[in-house]
Amino acid sequence: MSSILSNVLPAPEDPVLSVIFACRDDPCPVKLNLSAGAYRTEEGKPLVLEVVRKAEQQLANDLSCDKGYLPIDGLADFNKLSAKLILGDDSHAVEENRVVTIQCLSGTGSLRVGAEFLAKHHQQRVVFVPNPTWGNHPFIFTLAGLSVEYFRYYDPQTRGLDFEGMLKDLGAAPPGAIVVLQSCAHNPTGIDPTLEQWEKIRQIVRSKGLLPFFDNAYQGFASGNLDSDAQSVRMFVADGGECLIAQSFAKNMGLYGERIGALTIVCTSQDVARKIHSQVLLVVRPMYLSPPIHGASIVTTILKNSDMYKDWTIELKGMADRIISMRQQLYEAIQARGTPGDWSHIIKQIGMFSFTGLNEKQVRWMAKEYHIYITYDGRISIASLSSKTVPQLADAIHAAVTRLA
């Protein structure tokens, strides 16, 4: 029988997925996967927060809970609480009813819905993303039919922020262009602007009439403080202008597999918000119709209960602190080995990733010789390290740098 689909070509190799698959297929018992953005315990296991288990038990005991469809825009309480979490308790935008929040499929789904909405209703078709940025950003916006361009962000010479280059590129962007900004714990570099730099970025964005789209994947997971990690977003919202925010609860609540997130659009008026809400529903309806209920119920249960919320913040701080500790241990281990170069960027960066400065040749060699898998751009997941694996990684880095300079 002839195949109707025989003309389908194989997809080009994905640089991130290829590393994940190579690690999966490696039979070595001491292999180490530092490519995926997922938190692991000191024992190398996925962590289910105690407050999440408590919330799930409460939901299981509540016989009034059912498994019916949620509305297209999701669980109402979840949307209200998610907006409050990122915008703050005293947000004027929330008080003035000019905020639209839609439950989506984690951060990726929130970006996807936002991209589709902008492709249909925003006249400017170009999206500027940081160079480098999360590998999925270009795919998401390109698939929606938007044109992706880059603004300078990382300076390989200093292994820090190319702030002047960033401002110049944003200043040269066409009016109305969409600008993707990561609110904290930049992926993949781990480099964030200071608050003073954020203010200058805000001024450029507003003076040029650009539309900011925040990717808020790590709130509370960077510094350990939910409010501190939201300051960049709140700075933009406070000036009364428009912005979009994609939220994820994958990292900060450990709900990776629940696919729970939200898209929030801050508008200039309540009337504009009503119109946008109606149009976003038309984006969601043919895409997946109704979001999943379980993850939204977990998040809502935790955010509504003051005791659970407090417990969550304590566990969240514990995760952030352990990541900071892993940074310090890795830096000290590299220093102890006398590895050539300045490695202080490891402890200066923030969040779950570190942009090491290792090149692709060194990365591939480490996979072959040490069975350590990181992405080809040299990004490692600090959140996947432990005190037991830090020496293993430090040995590999030392060998790679000294042998393949």
Side-chain angles (χ1 to χ4, degrees), residues 13-23 364 376:
E13 181 184 73
D14 183 284
V16 176
L17 293 180
S18 62
V19 173
I20 294 172
F21 294 154
C23 182
R364 290 182 181 273
Y376 297 141

Side-chain angles (χ1 to χ4, degrees), residues 167-190:
L167 292 184
K168 287 180 181 178
D169 289 349
L170 292 179
I178 303 153
V179 178
V180 174
L181 300 166
Q182 296 186 40
S183 56
C184 66
H186 182 271
N187 177 6
T189 68

Side-chain angles (χ1 to χ4, degrees), residues 84-104:
K84 180 180 175 182
L85 186 70
I86 183 59
L87 301 180
D89 294 336
D90 56 352
S91 170
H92 292 308
V94 173
E95 292 173 1
E96 295 162 5
N97 296 312
R98 51 186 180 86
V99 173
V100 175
T101 301
I102 305 286
Q103 180 187 333
C104 295

Side-chain angles (χ1 to χ4, degrees), residues 15-16 19 34-36 188 355 358 363 373-380:
V16 176
V19 173
L34 300 177
S35 63
F355 220 43
L358 296 169
V363 168
Y373 293 86
I374 67 178
T375 54
Y376 297 141
D377 58 6
R379 186 198 76 174
I380 61 174

Side-chain angles (χ1 to χ4, degrees), residues 152-348:
R152 280 171 283 182
Y153 192 87
Y154 177 72
D155 184 347
Q157 299 302 317
T158 63
R159 294 179 182 174
L161 180 67
D162 183 0
F163 185 58
E164 293 305 317
M166 180 182 184
L167 292 184
K168 287 180 181 178
D169 289 349
L170 292 179
I178 303 153
V179 178
V180 174
L181 300 166
Q182 296 186 40
S183 56
C184 66
H186 182 271
N187 177 6
T189 68
I191 301 163
D192 289 345
T194 64
L195 285 180
E196 292 75 15
Q197 289 172 330
W198 270 119
E199 172 57 22
K200 291 182 180 179
I201 295 167
R202 186 196 66 80
Q203 291 173 9
I204 285 277
V205 167
R206 294 310 193 197
S207 66
K208 290 289 296 183
L210 309 179
L211 180 61
F213 194 156
F214 284 95
D215 187 351
N216 184 54
Y218 307 104
Q219 186 183 355
F221 208 72
S223 68
N225 185 288
L226 289 158
D227 290 323
S228 293
D229 289 351
Q231 287 182 96
S232 59
V233 173
R234 293 176 187 177
M235 189 181 293
F236 277 74
V237 175
D239 68 16
E242 296 168 317
C243 67
L244 289 82
I245 309 154
Q247 279 176 277
S248 169
F249 290 93
K251 275 74 176 180
N252 58 17
M253 281 196 185
L255 298 175
Y256 300 90
E258 298 295 348
R259 311 314 295 145
I260 180 64
L263 171 67
T264 289
I265 305 177
V266 179
C267 309
T268 53
S269 71
Q270 183 176 357
D271 182 56
V272 172
R274 276 197 297 263
K275 295 174 184 176
I276 287 177
H277 181 263
S278 69
Q279 290 292 350
V280 176
L281 294 183
L282 294 185
V283 171
V284 171
R285 187 181 181 191
M287 190 181 288
Y288 55 83
L289 184 62
S290 174
I293 194 170
H294 189 63
S297 299
I298 293 171
V299 174
T300 302
T301 300
I302 293 170
L303 296 184
K304 282 181 75 172
N305 184 295
S306 59
D307 290 335
M308 283 189 175
Y309 182 90
K310 182 178 179 182
D311 290 343
W312 173 47
T313 60
I314 292 171
E315 290 193 81
L316 180 56
K317 181 71 161 57
M319 288 192 288
D321 285 348
R322 201 188 81 78
I323 293 171
I324 293 169
S325 172
M326 289 302 102
R327 286 189 181 278
Q328 188 66 37
Q329 288 184 41
L330 178 59
Y331 172 70
E332 291 175 358
I334 292 173
Q335 290 295 98
R337 285 157 177 75
T339 307
D342 179 5
W343 296 89
S344 61
H345 57 282
I346 290 176
I347 52 176
K348 292 176 183 175

